[in-house]
Structure formats: structure tokens, C-alpha cells
Amino acid sequence: ATMLEVTGLTHRYGGADSDHLAVNELTFSVETGQLACIVGPSGCGKSTLLRCISGLIRPSGGEVKLHGDRVDGVPEDLAVVFQDYSRSLFPWLSVRQNVEFPLRWKKLSRTERRQRAEEALEWVGLPGVGGKYPWQLSGGMQQRVSIARALARRPALLLMDEPFASVDAQTRFELEDLLRGVQVQNHSTVLLVTHDIDESVYLGDRVLVLSKSPASIVADLTVNLPAE
Ligand code: ADP
Ligand code: ADP
């Protein structure tokens, strides 16, 4: 089944008459269970594309559909992980409270929320740190917590904007493998944006290559993983 359908997506900053075209006529779709990477140079329009998909900005033209429904506003069953983990966690909340925070809007009991948070922290290799505060953790661990918080919601689509660009290389490798493992295990659908071609090919089932600004697709590659 198709999870995400982007059709003729165009975005100009500064209104319809502006000539600041950031995204130009993008059309692609992502199947359920896929880990799709979008790769392109800095400034080509990747973040703009993700903002349009996540409903944070309304595109100037074209359409985004999430399992068949037109995205209008911020969809409930979508989670986003950003590059800047240092600003994404609430410093006054413990790790557990951070991970549980977005679950408040789901109809879950306290126990269920607690269980989901613990499970997500285990997925990202951080069991037992729930009582700590973000500032007590390294940058890589904080990004693990951000990923756990997104996964705890069990989103239909997980969007990731350069999620490993601000961590050191060793941590990046660990987080890439961890994301891959969790994604395969849970059949999650992930759309990850990066400027790093190696990363996109290492991680993706699918790699969409964008041109320089304004973003348009120049290649759509399927990466065939050997059967396990
Ligand atoms: P990327 O994520 O690939 O680095 P962006 O989507 O951030 O690219 O930026 C694409 C283009 O849109 C760039 O020319 C950038 O300067 C411009 N841009 C990004 N955000 C804004 C904004 N809020 N207002 C105006 N222009 C923006
Ligand atoms: P090993 O055989 O011990 O896994 P590798 O050199 O193959 O050693 O990889 C070490 C780590 O680097 C791997 O766990 C993997 O996460 C990461 N890695 C390897 N190749 C890439 C790549 N092209 N892009 C990103 N990460 C990679």
C-alpha cells in the first residue's frame, strides 16, 4: 500500500508572486514499510519539503496525501525528528517524561504510556535512563531520546530531517544501525532527508536524489538488500 503520495509539490517562500522557488514540481510516493532517503545538497529544499509533508507550511502548489487523505494541518499519525536534538527535548522534564509527553494526546492509560516509553527507550538502547534529565546525557544519547519519543507514538510515517548530522561519526554509525533495526522489526515507514550520499545508500531501501535548488527529483533508485 502507498503511505505517502506527493504530487506536483511546489513551494515559494514569500507568497505566490515571489520568485524564491524552494521546491519545484516534486512527485513521488513512499510505500508502507519502506525506508526512503532523500538526498540533495545543502539549501536545495529538503527541509522545505519535509515542512510541507508535515503540515507545518502550506505548499504554494501541489498536494500531499498520507494514506489517501490530503494533509491539511499537522497530521496526528506523523512524527518528526530534527537535526537539532539540543532544542527538541524539554530540559525541565526527565527522559521518561519527554518520551511520554506526546502520548498525552492519545487515549492511553498512565500505565500504557509508561510501558510505551520504556519500550521505546529499550529500542534505542537506553533502558534505565528514564529518570535522568537531558542535560545529563551526551548529544548522541539525547538524539536517541528524540528518536524514542517519535517511535513511542508509533507514527504511520516517521519523518527525519538530517537526524545524524550533529553527532560524531561513531555515534552516527550506531544510530544508523539502530534505526535500521527498529524499522525492519516494526515495519515502520520512514522518510529521511540527508545531504550525505553514503548515508542515504547505506540506510535506504530507496534513494531519491534531488537537484540543486529548487528541489526536483533527478534520480529515483531502489536499493536491493540481500534477503536475510
Ligand atoms: P535544505 O533543507 O535542503 O538545506 P531548505 O529547504 O532549508 O534546504 O532551503 C531551500 C531554500 O529555501 C533555500 O534557498 C533557503 O534559503 C530557502 N528558505 C528556507 N527556509 C526559508 C524561510 N523560512 N524563508 C525564506 N526562505 C527560506
Ligand atoms: P563492521 O564490519 O565492523 O560493521 P564497517 O566498517 O563495515 O565495520 O562499519 C562500521 C560501522 O559503520 C557499521 O556498523 C555501520 O553502521 C557504519 N557504516 C559502514 N558503512 C557506512 C556508510 N557508507 N555510511 C554510513 N555508515 C556506514
Side-chain angles (χ1 to χ4, degrees):
T2 302
M3 176 59 71
L4 175 72
E5 238 182 306
V6 173
T7 315
L9 190 75
T10 296
H11 191 69
R12 291 168 203 280
Y13 285 103
D17 299 333
S18 147
D19 55 5
H20 193 160
L21 191 57
V23 172
N24 189 24
E25 289 283 333
L26 273 187
T27 298
F28 67 95
S29 57
V30 176
E31 298 302 303
T32 303
Q34 227 171 26
L35 198 170
C37 290
I38 291 197
V39 64
S42 277
C44 80
K46 302 183 296 298
S47 300
T48 305
L49 168 65
L50 285 199
R51 281 181 216 135
C52 290
I53 294 173
S54 57
L56 293 173
I57 55 179
R58 186 186 283 267
S60 323
E63 189 175 62
V64 177
K65 281 184 172 175
L66 194 60
H67 40 58
D69 298 326
R70 193 182 173 129
V71 168
D72 186 18
V74 180
E76 221 257 292
D77 49 2
L78 182 147
V80 193
V81 173
F82 298 99
Q83 172 178 347
D84 189 0
Y85 52 81
S86 64
R87 286 193 301 175
S88 77
L89 299 174
F90 297 118
W92 61 88
L93 295 180
S94 71
V95 165
R96 181 184 300 111
Q97 289 167 331
N98 266 284
V99 176
E100 281 185 20
F101 191 80
L103 302 179
R104 292 182 186 191
W105 287 273
K106 290 194 184 279
K107 291 191 186 68
L108 295 172
S109 69
R110 259 187 98 149
T111 318
E112 285 168 323
R113 285 206 298 261
R114 175 64 61 96
Q115 276 169 354
R116 279 219 199 174
E118 282 305 326
E119 179 185 57
L121 286 168
E122 266 173 46
W123 284 339
V124 301
L126 290 180
V129 305
K132 290 205 189 293
Y133 283 82
W135 45 268
Q136 296 177 294
L137 305 178
S138 69
M141 285 164 97
Q142 290 181 40
Q143 191 59 317
R144 282 175 199 249
V145 176
S146 307
I147 295 170
R149 184 177 58 185
L151 292 169
R153 293 172 51 195
R154 303 197 187 145
L157 177 65
L158 176 60
L159 295 177
M160 306 184 95
D161 192 355
E162 302 270 9
F164 311 130
S166 301
V167 299
D168 62 85
Q170 183 56 42
T171 304
R172 176 163 69 88
F173 292 163
E174 283 174 24
L175 290 179
E176 285 169 357
D177 285 347
L178 180 146
L179 173 67
R180 205 44 174 138
V182 171
Q183 187 262 338
V184 168
Q185 191 190 329
N186 296 338
H187 311 287
S188 324
T189 312
V190 180
L191 181 64
L192 182 146
V193 153
T194 177
H195 64 269
D196 184 337
I197 294 192
D198 280 353
E199 178 169 281
S200 69
V201 174
Y202 183 70
L203 268 178
D205 306 314
R206 171 96 177 285
V207 179
L208 292 149
V209 184
L210 298 185
S211 63
K212 281 192 297 191
S213 181
S216 64
I217 293 171
V218 293
D220 183 349
L221 314 166
T222 300
V223 183
N224 287 305
L225 297 172
E228 302 215 6

